[in-house]
Amino acid sequence: MPIHPPQHRSAAAPSEPLGVQQAEAALVEHYPRLVRLAYVVLPPALGRHRRVLAAHGAVQRALPGARTSQDRVRVPAQSRRSPETAQAAGPEAAQAPESAPYAWMRLRVLRTALAYERRPRWWPGRLPAPAALRPVLPVVWGLRLFPRAGGVDELALDRALSAVPGAVRAAFALQLLEGLPETGVRALLAEAGADDPAGAVRRAARLGRPDRVAAQVLLRSGEFDPCTVQTRPSDLLRRRHRVRAAALAAALCVVAGTLAVAAEKGVRDEAPGTGVTVPALDPAALLRTAAEQWADTSRIDFTAWPVRGDRQGDGELLGRALRAWSEPPGTVRVSATPGTADVPPAQPPRLLFAGEVDGAAVVLFHDGGVRVVRYAEPLSGGGGAALDFARTDDADVTTGAAVVVSRTGEKARFLLAPWISETTTRDLLAPNTPGRPLEVGPDGVTAPVERPAAGGGCDVWPVLQLRSSERIVENHAFLVTDLGDLAPAHLTYTPKPGRGAPARQPREATGPEALLAWARTACSLRALSGSGVRAVNNWAFAEQKLPEGEAKAEWLCTRADTWRSPGRVLVHFLQPAASPTAPAAVVADRNDTALCSRFGQHILAGTHWKADSGRWYVLAAGSRAVDRIEATGQVRGAAGGPTLAVRAPRDASVQLTAGLRGGGTLTAVR
């Protein structure tokens, strides 16, 4: 559904200043271009529907008033582009002149979009920025708008953009969509009120690497085009409840003066402090998926889970769980994975499970495609209830395959997805030992599974090896492991690059090579416990022949992606060892990075290493595009190719840099 710019008069009235007329013409001519820029800069946390409307509102409000003086509509110095940068921005930007009115309109749009993340110091941290709370036009009732869905690459870019501030997104868009040079971007961000323009440009330069041209194509795709959108109705059930609630509220206003005491039955399911039943807190309004829907749908995630458990019809238990979610009393222990909101549901959630497990009544909800919520209360004895929140947005066959339903001591039980046809458990530290069958009850709850040790020794690392059903044409085995969150993390492996072959892609970590790599690195997963990890990939990015012999070492980049998008990287150095489970050395650790992902495919790392002779070396290795490594500092040396070995004292301070085929340099990750 194309969304067109608002219609303005084709010519200004004689009394209108010339600058306003030109600004109006610039808005109409470049409306799609300005709206796309606003959409990319606006915070993804708004959601796609609000983001589309906010982008159109930002552009439409940028039009100056009729009394704006012409001298205020001027071209900012930073907007002038060279022919090269204009051509790099694509045909639309290359053909569009940088007129004074357009440049001024772009600045006003940028200021408005950046304001959606600007909070005063006194503003509560849990509330959106003031700009996001203001009602603005356009307004759409009864429909949800969203751009056309892209593929995996578009989704990965959107996640990368959601993990950076608005100023970084703005710098990225101004370079790739508008064709501005870095100096121009810094000046424009400064004039728009960004806090650290230079830092934003530096961070934006790391986005979309190594293929910025491909990133530019993705940014100009339908995924980021708020002028061509699809529509869906809003929640019809929720809308009906709102009408009923409005009628009920009006009736209550009429009789409020005559009511003094409400019967306990009448208030038992009320929203705290309102006296009005809220649909989201009504057990009868809970969403329930049909038992076989998962086998006949194109969306395989938590929305396809049927409700299970022997207490799914217990309205009192479900009511207690919903009220605890809405306003937890002091006796309820509340926990949430990083980046997960613990706010009440805005609409009736989906019921996944209600039953008794390990001496507790457990209820699992799925809320709007974003969160899984677990409520547990003891069946007898003391102790309060527990309420746990975890993000699960964009879950799929593997990351939506299981949820922790109970933890007792050193063991846990999982509720499995209905598409899991085979369940075994194995030890990552015993790569040559086959998996053992794991019993699963008729309600989808597994037998107790040993949990990885949170601290102390690391003698075993239990994982689930699951196989998806042929009924969804996804018949393959995969590994998941409990890292302390409700949703277990998916483990994958990327093998060493082949000679002259294209870059390898992550694959399931069930083969012999993958299991041997995970046997050396499994214990480092303890550092990721409780951090909301979605998936962890072991990438064998280099192999190196060691000095003074024929032995070889392997370099692995272990990347943990979280549900909230930021990733953490651990670089492992695997030297020859007598045991296949000897822990690898962690030589680098970096948080909030794109390294070892699609948007960070180049890496360089180094370490000190002692040979059997007692001599010390500095070793370094890079990914497949590295063609030269240089060491400077207390030790100097260089080598062509992706590896380096140079004699050095044990504690020598060394700086490592690398050159890439086709240009570009790298510094070693630490």
Side-chain angles (χ1 to χ4, degrees):
M1 182 182 102
I3 298 181
H4 301 288
Q7 297 300 314
H8 297 294
R9 298 184 303 274
S10 59
S15 61
E16 285 186 312
L18 181 60
V20 176
Q21 179 183 1
Q22 291 177 342
E24 184 180 26
L27 182 144
V28 174
E29 181 181 359
H30 303 296
Y31 187 82
R33 179 177 166 192
L34 290 168
V35 175
R36 186 188 292 266
L37 174 64
Y39 184 82
V40 174
V41 177
L42 285 165
L46 290 175
R48 291 191 293 175
H49 173 77
R50 288 188 61 199
R51 200 168 156 204
V52 166
L53 296 180
H56 285 274
V59 175
Q60 293 174 21
R61 296 199 308 276
L63 187 66
R67 296 184 179 180
T68 303
S69 61
Q70 183 177 356
D71 60 357
R72 293 181 60 191
V73 185
R74 65 189 186 279
V75 58
Q78 71 279 356
S79 68
R80 299 184 178 90
R81 301 173 298 170
S82 67
E84 293 79 8
T85 56
Q87 188 65 36
E92 179 183 286
Q95 296 171 7
E98 287 293 297
S99 64
Y102 173 76
W104 192 61
M105 292 287 291
R106 180 176 60 196
L107 175 60
R108 289 169 65 92
V109 169
L110 197 58
R111 282 175 177 162
T112 302
L114 290 174
Y116 275 75
E117 286 188 355
R118 194 171 295 129
R119 292 177 172 87
R121 293 184 179 179
W122 51 267
W123 193 258
R126 293 185 61 174
L127 291 180
L133 298 177
R134 289 197 303 265
V136 296
L137 296 175
V139 176
V140 176
W141 294 96
L143 287 176
R144 307 289 293 177
L145 309 179
F146 50 92
R148 294 172 178 171
V152 175
D153 294 340
E154 288 87 347
L155 179 60
L157 178 58
D158 192 45
R159 285 180 176 168
L161 291 174
S162 68
V164 298
V168 179
R169 294 192 297 271
F172 186 67
L174 289 171
Q175 287 181 303
L176 270 64
L177 293 179
E178 295 292 298
L180 296 183
E182 290 189 0
T183 54
V185 173
R186 285 194 295 269
L188 184 54
L189 290 178
E191 193 166 355
D195 293 332
D196 182 14
V201 171
R202 286 194 299 271
R203 292 187 65 180
R206 296 196 292 265
L207 292 173
R209 294 293 183 186
D211 192 349
R212 296 273 284 191
V213 174
Q216 182 187 74
V217 172
L218 295 177
L219 206 59
R220 301 183 65 83
S221 67
E223 176 84 9
F224 299 96
D225 182 9
C227 287
T228 304
V229 299
Q230 296 175 315
T231 63
R232 292 290 185 275
S234 58
D235 193 322
L236 300 178
L237 180 62
R238 184 182 177 190
R239 193 191 311 170
R240 188 179 306 161
H241 282 308
R242 281 176 172 172
V243 173
R244 292 176 180 173
L248 177 60
L252 287 175
C253 289
V254 174
V255 301
T258 63
L259 295 179
V261 179
E264 180 181 356
K265 175 66 176 178
V267 299
R268 186 172 56 188
D269 291 330
E270 293 170 353
T274 66
V276 179
T277 300
V278 178
L281 305 181
D282 183 2
L286 289 171
L287 304 179
R288 298 169 183 252
T289 303
E292 292 297 313
Q293 182 172 321
W294 64 270
D296 191 25
T297 180
S298 60
R299 181 174 178 179
I300 302 297
D301 58 12
F302 288 105
T303 61
W305 280 39
V307 58
R308 288 169 287 180
D310 55 6
R311 297 187 65 174
Q312 57 182 279
D314 189 339
E316 293 188 0
L317 171 63
L318 300 178
R320 288 195 300 273
L322 289 169
R323 288 193 297 275
W325 184 355
S326 174
E327 189 170 342
T331 56
V332 175
R333 302 185 307 275
V334 179
S335 68
T337 57
T340 306
D342 58 1
V343 298
Q347 61 187 38
R350 189 178 307 276
L351 180 62
L352 302 182
F353 178 86
E356 298 180 2
V357 184
D358 294 332
V362 179
V363 182
L364 285 173
F365 300 108
H366 181 238
D367 179 32
V370 177
R371 299 178 293 177
V372 164
V373 181
R374 180 182 64 181
Y375 172 82
E377 62 180 29
L379 294 175
S380 61
L387 190 64
D388 304 310
F389 297 83
R391 281 186 64 168
T392 55
D393 39 325
D394 298 317
D396 55 22
V397 172
T398 56
T399 55
V403 171
V404 174
V405 72
S406 171
R407 284 194 180 98
T408 55
E410 298 180 351
K411 295 190 176 182
R413 293 180 189 263
F414 297 85
L415 178 66
L416 300 181
W419 56 80
I420 298 302
S421 61
E422 181 181 307
T423 309
T424 59
T425 182
R426 66 183 309 146
D427 180 9
L428 280 187
L429 299 185
N432 298 319
T433 302
R436 303 182 303 277
L438 179 64
E439 182 181 352
V440 181
D443 57 358
V445 177
T446 69
V449 179
E450 190 174 356
R451 297 173 57 193
C458 183
D459 301 323
V460 295
W461 196 278
V463 296
L464 294 180
Q465 181 165 318
L466 309 176
R467 180 174 292 277
S468 54
S469 170
E470 294 180 349
R471 297 176 66 184
I472 58 172
V473 199
E474 284 279 351
N475 181 17
H476 72 285
F478 55 93
L479 301 183
V480 295
T481 187
D482 182 6
L483 293 182
D485 302 313
L486 286 183
H490 179 210
L491 303 182
T492 56
Y493 175 73
T494 304
K496 293 184 289 290
R499 293 185 178 274
R504 305 288 182 89
Q505 298 299 316
R507 57 195 64 184
E508 301 303 342
T510 53
E513 184 180 350
L515 291 172
L516 287 173
W518 273 111
R520 301 287 304 272
T521 56
C523 291
S524 64
L525 290 172
R526 290 180 295 181
L528 306 174
S529 179
S531 57
V533 173
R534 171 193 179 100
V536 189
N537 180 56
N538 255 348
W539 173 29
F541 68 87
E543 187 177 59
Q544 181 174 21
K545 181 180 177 181
L546 296 173
E548 303 185 15
E550 297 297 323
K552 294 182 179 180
E554 193 171 4
W555 296 78
L556 290 180
C557 182
T558 303
R559 178 178 175 84
D561 285 305
T562 63
W563 290 97
R564 63 190 188 280
S565 293
R568 180 176 177 181
V569 159
L570 302 173
V571 178
H572 290 93
F573 176 68
L574 283 66
Q575 61 181 327
S579 169
T581 62
V586 177
V587 300
D589 184 351
R590 180 178 292 183
N591 271 312
D592 298 334
T593 178
L595 284 174
C596 305
S597 71
R598 182 184 181 278
F599 296 103
Q601 298 183 16
H602 305 312
I603 187 172
L604 173 68
T607 187
H608 290 80
W609 176 78
K610 183 181 179 181
D612 292 338
S613 64
R615 288 187 285 266
W616 283 88
Y617 291 82
V618 166
L619 304 181
S623 47
R624 66 198 309 264
V626 170
D627 60 2
R628 177 178 172 81
I629 301 177
E630 184 176 357
T632 57
Q634 294 180 346
V635 175
R636 292 185 172 273
T643 61
L644 167 79
V646 58
R647 284 280 304 275
R650 176 177 182 176
D651 298 320
S653 176
V654 181
Q655 290 77 48
L656 297 170
T657 57
L660 301 174
R661 289 195 300 269
T665 59
L666 286 176
T667 57
V669 60
R670 297 180 181 274

